[in-house]
């Protein structure tokens, strides 16, 4: 049901003249994709610095709250541009993206990383006074930072793997894989 | 020196036989290449924006440069190692790719800049260095690494 709705929505987006124009524009599409990667460097780069501090692997002589507070704004600027450019990339190639297992995994990791970031932030704010100057933060903070790095790395990895067509709908796949990728027509052929 | 001979050798090397035969291995190495590039980008931006007085103004710039430099070293080693592996899969094709040469030129210049100019200069007390020199180093550094990243991305488009 959800697969059907998502596919119909993607097909509707695909009928837009702007979607086709963006997809077929060599320079525009390439620049949007380059912007996506370069702002990812800003977002992920700041995240790495913050998480390495929380892991006690960098900036150990600087209070953790200073690193987190000061790098928050550039990280969020990078995040905002990255999301907008990402949405444009989906808009340019809606059907293949919707039916990409890697894209779907990316979205799952993205949501999980977002939830972890919210929990991590609250946990950090609640107890920062007790360990702010410690070179190595408490275990629960290090765990949160490690999970954050792992989840965002998975977001990056699954985004990069979207370029490969190993599990695209046109491939010969088991029913479960078609279901995960949302290949509605291929699933119907099984029934 | 015959550069093409090196590419021919790389194309026939054991690295190439692995990278060409196992698409999954190539893809995983590509992911690590990207993660190393993002880490390098983050460290360069943090250090250079501190030199420009934009970020972490309440932290001494010597502390920021010292901490980011360690991770720049790690990221560069990972970038080069994964880059050589990836290049082995398409060595001959890369030899004829203009963006590849743009990336290699800017990468060599970037490494030279980091280890021959930026790092030796920033070992001194930053208070004793002309602020405009620090700003110039920061802008030059961000420009060089932007060119490395952008030309690297455009290898895939060309």
């Amino acid at each position: 049901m959800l697969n059907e709705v998502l596919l119909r929505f993607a097909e509707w987006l695909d009928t837009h003249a702007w979607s086709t124009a963006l997809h077929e524009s060599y320079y525009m599409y390439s620049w949007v994709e380059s912007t996506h990667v370069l702002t990812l460097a800003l977002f992920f780069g700041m995240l790495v610095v913050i998480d390495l501090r929380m892991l006690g692997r960098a900036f150990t002589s600087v209070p953790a709250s200073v690193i987190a507070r000061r790098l928050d704004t550039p990280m969020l600027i990078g995040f905002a541009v990255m999301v907008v450019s990402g949405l444009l990339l989906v808009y340019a190639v809606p059907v293949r993206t919707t039916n990409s297992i890697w894209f779907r995994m990316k979205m799952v990791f993205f949501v999980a990383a977002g939830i972890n970031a919210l929990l991590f932030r609250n946990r950090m704010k609640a107890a920062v006074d007790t360990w702010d100057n410690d070179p190595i933060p408490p275990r629960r903070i290090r765990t949160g930072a490690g999970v954050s790095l792992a989840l965002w790395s998975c977001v990056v990895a699954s985004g990069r793997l979207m370029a490969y067509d190993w599990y695209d709908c046109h491939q010969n796949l088991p029913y479960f894989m078609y279901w995960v990728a949302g290949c509605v027509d291929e699933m119907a052929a099984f029934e | 020196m015959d550069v093409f001979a090196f590419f021919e050798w790389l194309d026939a090397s054991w690295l190439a036989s692995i990278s060409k035969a196992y698409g999954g291995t190539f893809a995983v190495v590509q992911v690590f290449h990207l993660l190393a590039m993002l880490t390098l980008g983050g460290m360069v931006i943090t250090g250079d924006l501190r030199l420009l007085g934009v970020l972490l103004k309440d932290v001494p710039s010597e502390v920021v440069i010292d901490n980011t430099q360690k991770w720049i070293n790690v990221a560069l080693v990972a970038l080069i190692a994964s880059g050589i592996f990836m290049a082995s899969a398409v060595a001959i094709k890369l030899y004829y790719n203009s963006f590849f040469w743009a990336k290699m030129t800017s990468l060599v210049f970037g490494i030279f800049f980091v280890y021959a100019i930026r790092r030796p200069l920033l070992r001194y007390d930053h208070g004793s260095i002309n602020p405009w020199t620090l700003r110039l180093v920061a802008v030059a550094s961000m420009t060089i690494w932007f060119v490395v990243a952008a030309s690297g991305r455009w290898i895939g488009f060309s």
Side-chain angles (χ1 to χ4, degrees), chain B residues 92-108:
Chain B
I92 303 299
K93 191 179 164 193
L94 284 179
Y95 178 80
Y96 293 105
N97 188 303
S98 315
F99 283 105
F100 171 75
W101 288 110
K103 179 175 175 172
M104 287 305 106
T105 308
S106 49
L107 178 65
V108 169

Side-chain angles (χ1 to χ4, degrees), chain A residues 22-49:
Chain A
L22 181 57
H23 184 199
E24 290 181 357
S25 165
Y26 174 72
Y27 287 105
M28 198 59 200
Y29 184 81
S30 303
W31 274 116
V32 171
E33 199 169 72
S34 301
T35 304
H36 190 63
V37 176
L38 291 170
T39 48
L40 177 65
L42 178 61
F43 164 71
F44 190 84
M46 296 297 114
L47 182 97
V48 168
V49 175

Side-chain angles (χ1 to χ4, degrees), chain A residues 53-120:
Chain A
R53 172 61 187 95
M54 300 307 163
L55 284 166
R57 298 281 175 176
F59 291 98
T60 48
S61 61
V62 182
S65 62
V66 170
I67 296 291
R69 221 177 311 127
R70 299 285 179 264
L71 300 187
D72 213 31
T73 307
M75 185 172 75
L76 290 177
I77 292 171
F79 182 79
V81 182
M82 182 184 76
V83 168
V84 171
S85 55
L87 287 172
L88 283 171
L89 291 174
V90 174
Y91 182 62
V93 193
V95 176
R96 182 178 182 262
T97 308
T98 305
N99 282 339
S100 164
I101 283 183
W102 300 117
F103 177 71
R104 288 169 175 233
M105 284 171 66
K106 182 177 178 172
M107 289 302 105
V108 171
F109 288 129
F110 186 84
V111 171
I115 293 168
N116 180 63
L118 283 176
L119 295 174
F120 184 50

Side-chain angles (χ1 to χ4, degrees), chain A residues 33-34 59 70 160 164, chain B residues 30 58 67 146 153-154 157:
Chain A
E33 199 169 72
S34 301
F59 291 98
R70 299 285 179 264
R160 185 64 199 85
Y164 295 94
Chain B
Q30 204 173 35
D58 44 359
N67 276 279
F146 171 81
R153 186 64 203 91
W154 278 69
F157 297 137

Side-chain angles (χ1 to χ4, degrees), chain A residues 3 7 16-17 34 36 39 48 52 55 76 83 96 98-99 124 132 134 142 145 166 170 191:
Chain A
N3 275 332
L7 183 61
H16 290 201
S34 301
H36 190 63
T39 48
V48 168
L52 285 177
L55 284 166
L76 290 177
V83 168
R96 182 178 182 262
T98 305
N99 282 339
M124 211 175 75
D132 202 19
D134 293 357
R142 281 183 280 142
W166 305 325
H170 65 82
E191 287 154 6

Side-chain angles (χ1 to χ4, degrees), chain B residues 79-92:
Chain B
L79 260 181
I80 293 168
S82 55
I84 292 171
F85 179 82
M86 286 161 60
S88 72
V90 282
I92 303 299

